[in-house]
Every structure is written in C-alpha cells, then in structure tokens.
Amino acid sequence: MPEQRAERADAVRNRRAVLRAAEQLLAEGGGDHVSLDRVAALAGVGKGTVFRRFGSRAGLLEALLEERSRQLRDAVRNGPPPLGPGAPAPERLLAFLEGLGAIAEGNAALLSAHEQACADGKYGDPSYQFWHRHLSTLFADGRPDLDADFLAHAVLAVFEGDLIRHMTPPDDPRRFTRSIQQMAMTLLRRD
C-alpha cells in the first residue's frame, strides 16, 4: 500500500482560505456571487491554485458541502447510538435527519448554489451518495417491503435550498427538520 503523504502546511492554509472565501461570498450574495476569480481574490491566492485544488466552481461547492457534513458522516459511521450504529432504524433515521436538517437549515444558500452548479452530477456527488446509502439502509431495515432506494432519493429531493429557506421562518427555525422527520416516520409506519 503506498504511503499517503501529509498535505503541505501552505496547501492546508490555502484550502481553508479558499473555503472561507467561498462561504463569505455565499453569505454576501448567494451562489451567483461565487466564482473562482472572486474566491481566489478574496482568499489571497491565484485562480490557478483554486482551479488545481477544486477543478471548477462545482468542485469548490462540493468540497464546501463535504466540509459541512464531515462531522455528521463521522458520527453516522462511528458515533454512539442513535446516530451511530446500534440503534433501531427509526431512531437512527430521526437522529440522522436531525443532523442533516441542521446542516440544511444552516446552509440553504450553499445547497441552492450546489444544486445549480452540480445539477448534472448530483447523484455522483460524494455527500449525496453517502446520505442516500445511509437512508436506503435505514429504510430497508425499517420497511423491507418498500423500495428503499427510491425512498432515499425522494427524501433527499426535499433538501432543496429554496424550500428549506421557505420552511425555515425566523420564529420557527427547526420547522423544516421536524417536517422531514414526520414525513420519514410516516414512510416507516405500517398501517
């Protein structure tokens, strides 16, 4: 097995600066405000540095979304129940949607920009694939009589930036998450 080299300190620093710059531009003007040129200028790096690291605007947004979801992914894989292994499927599903909903509610502008930039490759996106695989497993465990693959896609389709913003009013910031959890529990229910 080849030895994995540690990333150079300047590369780590540049990556963090680029991701912070992309976040700032998203917050200031939404997804249309994020371009490789603007990100590079704000991060204090060359456009070539951004391009080599992320490949495109879509790659940059994909990396930012991965960064936002890393903690949730780690908890799903190795954390304590109910988010991590060992709890029944309905409990894990509620815990996962709690975490994913929090990411969505806090990053609706990123999700909108990501959807637009990555529309053609949505199903190949690493975050999407991880979320889909986890949801499919939970639905298959909880309702083996249903098409778990489809249900996972259907639930993830609701994680759409404009809908999240619409369903997250200032006086009820967790409305979207509660609603998606209720929908998922309805899908698991046997009548």
Side-chain angles (χ1 to χ4, degrees):
M1 180 171 169
E3 193 176 311
Q4 190 173 13
R5 292 184 348 187
E7 194 171 22
R8 293 186 341 251
D10 62 328
V12 170
R13 192 172 43 255
N14 286 345
R15 182 178 195 284
R16 286 184 187 140
V18 166
L19 292 177
R20 275 194 311 271
E23 281 180 317
Q24 183 178 333
L25 291 169
L26 272 170
E28 291 173 356
D32 293 338
H33 200 59
V34 178
S35 70
L36 295 185
D37 288 324
R38 285 184 178 140
V39 169
L42 187 58
V45 300
K47 181 179 175 182
T49 298
V50 178
F51 183 77
R52 278 189 303 279
R53 181 65 187 243
F54 300 101
S56 65
R57 179 175 175 270
L60 173 61
L61 293 169
E62 188 176 290
L64 191 54
L65 186 57
E66 280 287 304
E67 191 79 15
R68 294 287 161 273
S69 63
R70 179 176 295 129
Q71 188 175 0
L72 178 61
R73 257 190 338 271
D74 292 345
V76 164
R77 287 180 182 135
N78 305 311
L83 191 52
E91 290 177 33
R92 288 198 80 195
L93 184 58
L94 283 174
F96 177 67
L97 291 173
E98 175 71 28
L100 193 57
I103 291 169
E105 290 162 346
N107 295 281
L110 171 59
L111 289 177
S112 290
H114 182 266
E115 290 159 13
Q116 182 183 23
C118 304
D120 292 339
K122 173 182 180 174
Y123 301 111
D125 178 87
S127 291
Y128 188 93
Q129 288 182 339
F130 178 83
W131 299 340
H132 178 269
R133 192 169 39 254
H134 186 57
L135 285 170
S136 293
T137 300
L138 295 175
F139 281 123
D141 288 349
R143 285 295 304 269
D145 58 315
L146 299 178
D147 185 343
D149 178 62
F150 173 78
L151 290 179
H153 284 301
V155 168
L156 290 173
V158 178
F159 282 82
E160 190 268 328
D162 290 335
L163 176 63
I164 293 163
R165 279 194 288 276
H166 178 73
M167 297 295 297
T168 309
D171 62 326
D172 193 3
R174 299 309 316 268
R175 180 178 177 202
F176 174 80
T177 295
R178 279 195 324 278
S179 298
I180 197 75
Q181 287 174 314
Q182 289 168 350
M183 183 179 91
M185 289 300 101
T186 300
L187 293 170
L188 285 182
R189 191 175 308 130
R190 294 177 189 270
D191 291 328

